[in-house]
Amino acid sequence: MANKLITQLGLPKWIANIFTARNIITAKDALSLTEFELMELLDVGLADVSRAVAHISEVVCPPCQTVLFLMEQRVRNESLAGHLPTRLKGLDEALSGGIPFGVLTELVGPAGIGKTQFCLKLSLLASLPANCGGLDGHVIFIDVESKFSSRRLIEIGVKSFPEIFHKKGMAQEMAGRILILRPTSLSEFTESLHQIKVSLLQQQVKLLIIDSMAALVLRENEGGYSGQQAFGWHVSFIKSLAEFSRIPVVVTNQVRSQIGDEAHKYSFQAAQNHLEKKADPATYDSHLVAALGINWAHAVTIRLVLEAKSGQRFIKLAKSPISPPLAFPFSITSSGIVLLSDDGMELKGPEINRIHCQGQNAFLNFHGERLQ
Ligand SMILES: Nc1ncnc2c1ncn2[C@@H]1O[C@H](COP(=O)(O)OP(=O)(O)OP(=O)(O)O)[C@@H](O)[C@H]1O
């Protein structure tokens, strides 16, 4: 609005010409000066300057909106944008339908907890035909750690949607809709993102998955390069990809232990952690934090924490603009992730963001063989 040309604002021609002659080209140029500065610059009386400023302000000022209008607009956008249902009933209800379009959803948790399994299921759901509840679209899966397993994807498909996957050629068709990219460095990843932007415009891409973002940044850090800093650009770019394409973007993040130095950076946490450690050494795993830093944490709209507590896996809805923090117990079966209860347990206080990894080895050893 502020960049509108003075000549296009409907001012009387004589004063619009004076503005232009004095190099005041846009509404912003005019409104950045006081009335007295304008009088001096334009050599025009106060009454004319005031009238012109009032007129420019009126034209460029965004119209007033009522709360009702904003609410209706949001409902309209929601129906245009929508959600990708996870088919995990309790979670979908808490998320008003599933993984929202147009924003970043983060899956964070320790190694082997099930982040990739979750991503595989989402990929299937996005590629399923619409009459089977899918999005009937293509998926771009950025597989940083080469963990994508087409065998496991088909296994989840056959077990979860036998009626579709037993049709001849269907498994191939579904798998053919999922494009795998494997960047080996942050610069290759940057290149992939630019290509993706074009694909999002040209193709029927309905889901973008990055598994895992943390692995990329950690890899760069290994090379002695400050990946965290360079990564700022990527955060903004991925967020803007989600916004402009209005598709769900799901990004996995790993965990690391919060080491002493860093704990001092956030003294309130350090004090709290210290007390907890003294009180109960078994809660050591509560020092796990998301591997990607605070900038990333602010960029995500939905955060799902996958964790293990006393040998039981939980999926926690730790950040959402529409739901209170909830935890659902889950397990991983041949058909992928399943909730053991659709009634989320409400979380309070520090428990919301804590990442547990207690007794995870028990089920890792039991099932932990990774399929390629
Ligand atoms: N066919 C299967 N049946 C049951 N469980 C399985 C099957 N395949 C994998 N799993 C479970 O999935 C877990 C691995 O999950 P996944 O690869 O998603 O972990 P992740 O969170 O992505 O880990 P990382 O951070 O290392 O990438 C295994 O530990 C196992 O428990």
Side-chain angles (χ1 to χ4, degrees):
M1 289 286 218
N3 288 327
K4 274 193 169 177
L5 297 177
I6 288 282
T7 47
Q8 294 173 355
L9 297 179
L11 282 170
K13 205 161 180 196
W14 68 271
I15 198 161
N17 287 342
I18 300 180
F19 271 106
T20 315
R22 300 289 187 275
N23 211 21
I24 300 176
I25 310 296
T26 64
K28 188 175 175 185
D29 297 339
L31 297 176
S32 304
L33 299 169
T34 65
E35 288 183 345
F36 290 108
E37 282 169 332
L38 282 172
M39 277 170 66
E40 201 177 8
L41 202 65
L42 304 176
D43 198 14
V44 173
L46 180 60
D48 288 324
V49 166
S50 300
R51 252 195 307 278
V53 168
H55 179 83
I56 296 169
S57 308
E58 202 181 319
V59 175
V60 298
C61 178
C64 290
Q65 289 167 339
T66 63
V67 173
L68 178 67
F69 176 82
L70 290 176
M71 214 167 72
E72 285 169 351
Q73 197 177 37
R74 189 182 159 163
V75 170
R76 247 193 329 270
N77 287 346
E78 283 286 305
S79 66
L80 273 181
H83 295 86
L84 168 61
T86 63
R87 308 267 181 127
L88 304 173
K89 190 164 166 275
L91 187 62
D92 283 345
E93 279 172 10
L95 290 171
S96 285
I99 307 290
F101 290 9
V103 295
L104 301 188
T105 296
E106 178 190 30
L107 299 176
V108 60
I113 193 71
K115 301 180 294 292
T116 303
Q117 300 296 312
F118 199 109
C119 293
L120 291 174
K121 186 80 171 267
L122 291 179
S123 306
L124 269 178
L125 291 168
S127 59
L128 277 186
N131 58 7
C132 306
L135 298 181
D136 207 4
H138 291 257
V139 176
I140 297 181
F141 196 117
I142 304 190
D143 180 26
V144 177
E145 295 178 291
S146 298
K147 282 185 50 199
F148 183 93
S149 159
S150 44
R151 193 139 65 94
R152 177 67 176 137
L153 181 90
I154 306 246
E155 183 189 25
I156 296 175
V158 170
K159 298 280 178 183
S160 312
F161 313 104
E163 67 292 353
I164 304 169
F165 274 77
H166 282 136
K167 279 190 201 154
K168 200 164 173 272
M170 211 53 184
Q172 282 88 335
E173 191 182 329
M174 292 293 102
R177 292 178 173 195
I178 303 171
L179 174 71
I180 312 292
L181 302 177
R182 290 196 165 130
T184 55
S185 65
L186 207 54
S187 59
E188 262 186 55
F189 177 61
T190 311
E191 224 169 277
S192 307
L193 286 179
H194 286 300
Q195 284 167 10
I196 287 169
K197 191 168 179 181
V198 178
S199 307
L200 290 180
L201 290 170
Q202 291 170 346
Q203 287 177 21
Q204 280 287 300
V205 177
K206 294 288 171 70
L207 174 66
L208 170 63
I209 291 182
I210 304 172
D211 182 25
S212 104
M213 194 77 188
L216 260 175
V217 178
L218 296 175
R219 208 180 275 170
E220 292 293 314
N221 280 337
E222 270 167 25
Y225 170 67
S226 176
Q228 283 280 6
Q229 278 162 23
F231 173 61
W233 177 88
H234 297 85
V235 176
S236 324
F237 194 84
I238 296 165
K239 204 167 153 56
S240 72
L241 276 184
E243 280 165 11
F244 101 91
S245 62
R246 309 283 325 155
I247 61 165
V249 175
V250 177
V251 182
T252 66
N253 189 0
Q254 280 148 329
V255 295
R256 60 182 169 80
S257 55
Q258 194 176 29
I259 43 172
D261 277 2
E262 198 162 344
H264 290 302
K265 248 185 359 198
Y266 308 105
S267 52
F268 60 95
Q269 286 178 347
Q272 189 189 0
N273 288 345
H274 181 65
L275 286 175
E276 278 165 5
K277 202 169 174 181
K278 265 176 101 176
D280 179 10
T283 59
Y284 176 70
D285 71 348
S286 64
H287 297 268
L288 292 178
V289 292
L292 298 175
I294 202 95
N295 281 352
W296 173 252
H298 285 305
V300 304
T301 301
I302 304 286
R303 171 170 300 111
L304 297 170
V305 174
L306 279 73
E307 62 170 10
K309 222 167 145 181
S310 311
Q312 173 62 62
R313 287 173 159 118
F314 288 91
I315 184 159
K316 291 199 305 204
L317 177 52
K319 183 181 178 190
S320 156
I322 48 169
S323 167
L326 296 171
F328 302 89
F330 78 93
S331 71
I332 306 178
T333 67
S334 51
S335 61
I337 287 190
V338 287
L339 292 190
L340 302 177
S341 163
D342 289 313
D343 298 321
M345 291 169 280
E346 204 160 322
L347 299 165
K348 292 213 165 60
E351 204 45 42
I352 299 168
N353 285 307
R354 201 163 275 168
I355 305 173
H356 292 281
C357 181
Q358 294 168 345
Q360 193 191 346
N361 287 346
F363 49 67
L364 277 187
N365 293 341
F366 185 70
H367 292 295
E369 205 180 298
R370 244 172 224 150
L371 302 164
Q372 286 303 315

